[in-house]
Amino acid sequence: MIRVERLSIFLLELPLVAPFVTSFGEERTKQALLVSLTADGVMGWGECVAGSGPWYSWETVETARYIISEHIRPLLSGHKTFSHPSELPVVLAPIRGHAMAKAAVEGALWDIYARLQKRPLWQLLGGAREAVPAGVSVGIQPDIPSLLAAVEGFLAESYQRIKLKIKPGWDVEPVRAVRARFPDALLSVDANAAYGWADLPTLRELDRYGLLMIEQPFSFDDLLEHAQLSRELATPICLDESITSARRAREALELGACRIINVKQGRVGGVTESLDIHALALDKKIPLWCGGMLETGVGRALNVHLATLPGFTLPHDISATKRYFREDIADPPFELKDGHIPVPQRPGLGVEVNWDRLLRACTWSRTWKL
Ligand code: NPG
């Protein structure tokens, strides 16, 4: 039995090594929200993947801070004991939506659960890999030469898949240039919902470059139009933003809206929901991969453990720590080894929060006795 005693929230601000530009804007610093739970003297950590503004998702660090403090905390106080982390989503079910806020707390409970058993999390999830293939997501660059230089650097570091962020006006030309220079690279594109039917000629053009997938071309909450688009293109459509739960994943597959799913445990409401998507994907033979949200070492560790599951067969948006931060708040940093990220083998998430660095990056924190 896990008896949770304390809940803490930490808001952090960490400078990114380089600005990250997507179709919805530029990030220079990472605002992170970390959650810790204490049970039986053991502390577990979770990271909320919400951003500073409602651009990728409607959730933000501020909405998550509010939901965790004012709504999740009382539900936790009223429950307190868990025999398994998968019981938490049932306790939190009265709160509609707010997947990222819920997932952060569930992540901390999984960490405690595995630490109490002195086993690495991947073993308890049913993972079976010692290292996971690392891909890299390349933000929109100022020009083609900078893009080619960035891609060349990442390939030299042995990243297994290059994902190019695209938006109208920065799509066919960068893809053509990268494909011409690196004909054998595993290449995909991510539109973050920046296109519509009027862009069909552009999408057809992208269809000619042997891409592994086109990720979330249409609206963030659409399934139907993606199903229609899927029938127009040879390149598989991968959905990210549109898949907000296992139920949505089932609907997407039923409609033929995607042939690949990007799993972000935060976006779908936690590890338990991700495991449901994983079971569905295995059943339907749909390849999965783990997306990234520029997480600190805490969230990155959880992604690495999840990515060890057998249905996660494509390279992930899990890159080495140094690609994001000069100084992360968790140790040890994740490093690339032959294009793979080794899976932590110590108990729980297998990373330790460095309190000095955490407190230096912290802009607000609060602790409650449950
Ligand atoms: O490697 O963590 C990473 C970043 C991967 O491109 C990436 N993430 O749309 O998937 C995305 C994108 C993102 C980043 C979205 C930050 C929202 C915020």
Side-chain angles (χ1 to χ4, degrees):
M1 272 296 175
I2 308 167
R3 192 178 159 79
V4 290
E5 293 143 7
R6 261 188 305 146
L7 165 74
S8 301
I9 301 179
F10 302 86
L11 280 187
L12 312 179
E13 203 157 312
L14 291 163
L16 288 170
V17 168
F20 191 72
V21 185
T22 63
S23 63
F24 46 74
E26 178 183 282
E27 292 197 47
R28 287 174 175 275
T29 54
K30 165 73 185 173
Q31 272 202 20
L33 188 160
L34 293 197
V35 171
S36 75
L37 285 174
T38 311
D40 304 321
V42 170
M43 189 176 267
W45 289 90
E47 178 166 349
C48 178
V49 300
S52 53
W55 322 127
Y56 168 86
S57 159
W58 46 91
E59 286 189 82
T60 70
V61 285
E62 289 297 336
T63 68
R65 166 163 68 168
Y66 164 71
I67 289 292
I68 296 170
S69 321
E70 302 305 318
H71 295 284
I72 293 181
R73 182 176 55 85
L75 290 175
L76 269 180
S77 284
H79 195 81
K80 282 202 186 109
T81 50
F82 297 88
S83 54
H84 192 269
S86 62
E87 293 161 17
L88 184 63
V90 182
V91 172
L92 301 185
I95 301 171
R96 292 193 181 167
H98 297 285
M100 295 176 177
K102 291 173 178 173
V105 179
E106 193 190 322
L109 198 56
W110 278 99
D111 188 21
I112 292 184
Y113 176 68
R115 280 176 197 265
L116 285 173
Q117 294 185 54
K118 302 193 167 36
R119 290 173 68 190
L121 182 58
W122 64 269
Q123 284 182 4
L124 302 175
L125 298 177
R129 256 184 262 271
E130 291 192 348
V132 299
V136 64
S137 172
V138 186
I140 291 164
Q141 302 292 311
D143 50 49
I144 301 283
S146 323
L147 173 68
L148 291 175
V151 171
E152 183 165 25
F154 289 129
L155 287 172
E157 284 184 66
S158 77
Y159 280 103
Q160 304 278 297
R161 182 271 285 139
I162 301 290
K163 157 167 142 180
L164 304 181
K165 290 287 189 182
I166 57 167
K167 66 174 185 184
W170 178 263
D171 38 41
V172 175
E173 214 194 318
V175 167
R176 187 189 297 131
V178 172
R179 188 40 100 213
R181 174 79 75 85
F182 310 103
D184 302 325
L186 205 51
L187 195 62
S188 69
V189 294
D190 181 5
N192 286 116
Y195 293 83
W197 278 112
D199 301 303
L200 188 60
T202 302
L203 297 167
R204 279 200 203 287
E205 193 59 25
L206 289 175
D207 209 17
R208 299 171 46 217
Y209 291 95
L211 299 174
L212 178 62
M213 68 189 89
I214 298 177
E215 193 180 345
Q216 195 73 38
F218 286 175
S219 174
F220 69 92
D221 62 352
D222 169 79
L223 294 181
L224 197 54
E225 291 190 312
H226 280 105
Q228 291 161 341
L229 179 65
S230 217
R231 293 194 280 274
E232 301 288 329
L233 303 178
T235 310
I237 300 286
C238 169
L239 287 180
D240 171 3
E241 284 94 324
S242 290
I243 307 295
T244 47
S245 63
R247 179 193 299 271
R248 287 285 282 172
R250 244 188 327 271
E251 289 166 357
L253 298 183
E254 203 63 43
L255 283 167
C258 62
R259 281 156 54 195
I260 298 175
I261 295 176
N262 164 341
V263 176
K264 289 178 180 162
Q265 60 79 33
R267 187 195 68 229
V268 303
V271 169
T272 302
E273 196 75 11
S274 304
L275 294 176
D276 288 349
I277 294 177
H278 178 257
L280 174 75
L282 278 184
D283 183 46
K284 304 275 186 202
K285 300 190 171 45
I286 292 291
L288 300 179
W289 58 281
C290 201
M293 297 288 281
L294 309 173
E295 289 94 342
T296 74
V298 169
R300 188 166 313 281
L302 183 54
N303 291 344
V304 171
H305 287 282
L306 200 56
T308 63
L309 290 170
F312 285 80
T313 53
L314 296 172
H316 313 282
D317 273 354
I318 305 178
S319 306
T321 301
K322 72 170 191 191
R323 184 239 182 299
Y324 313 89
F325 307 109
R326 220 175 311 279
E327 208 179 53
D328 198 346
I329 48 84
D331 288 322
F334 288 93
E335 283 167 5
L336 205 56
K337 223 173 119 191
D338 299 330
H340 289 69
I341 303 279
V343 180
Q345 297 301 329
R346 290 186 299 170
L349 289 174
V351 293
E352 299 303 326
V353 165
N354 177 309
W355 281 100
D356 282 349
R357 279 183 252 137
L358 177 91
L359 294 176
R360 237 181 292 140
C362 186
T363 55
W364 181 90
S365 73
R366 187 152 174 203
T367 297
W368 295 268
K369 201 174 163 326
L370 293 170

